[in-house]
Amino acid sequence: SDLDLLIIKETPDQLITRIFTVHELVTAMLPYIGLDPLVLTPTEIAERLRVGDQSVVVLLERGELLFAA
């Protein structure tokens, strides 16, 4: 994809709902961008790091922070 987007957000929504929502919102504004969103809660991030999920490790180590609240 052109853009791998990791969003860390506390939310009760199911993972697939989060990913679908972000994909729909971004592609509505920027339809020419290939997007691969991943929307995880802080708890899910911690669990993925605990089990050694390399995709999350790479995103956190090499990714660029665009916004922090």
Side-chain angles (χ1 to χ4, degrees), residues 11 13-14 17 20 24-25 27 31 37 39-40 42 44 48-49 52 55-56 60-61 67-68:
T11 176
D13 296 335
Q14 294 295 315
T17 301
F20 179 79
E24 290 295 302
L25 288 170
T27 56
V39 186
L40 299 173
E44 290 167 336
R48 288 188 180 216
L49 291 173
S55 61
V56 171
L60 293 173
E61 288 179 351
F67 180 80

Side-chain angles (χ1 to χ4, degrees), residues 49-60:
L49 291 173
R50 188 187 70 74
V51 299
D53 183 331
Q54 288 303 300
S55 61
V56 171
V57 170
V58 168
L59 284 168
L60 293 173

Side-chain angles (χ1 to χ4, degrees), residues 1-42:
S1 68
D2 293 330
L3 179 63
D4 293 322
L5 181 64
L6 171 63
I7 297 173
I8 303 171
K9 177 184 181 189
E10 194 61 59
T11 176
D13 296 335
Q14 294 295 315
L15 179 61
I16 191 67
T17 301
R18 292 180 246 154
I19 291 170
F20 179 79
T21 300
V22 169
H23 191 273
E24 290 295 302
L25 288 170
V26 174
T27 56
M29 295 182 294
L30 303 167
Y32 50 86
I33 296 287
L35 179 66
D36 188 14
L38 181 58
V39 186
L40 299 173
T41 66

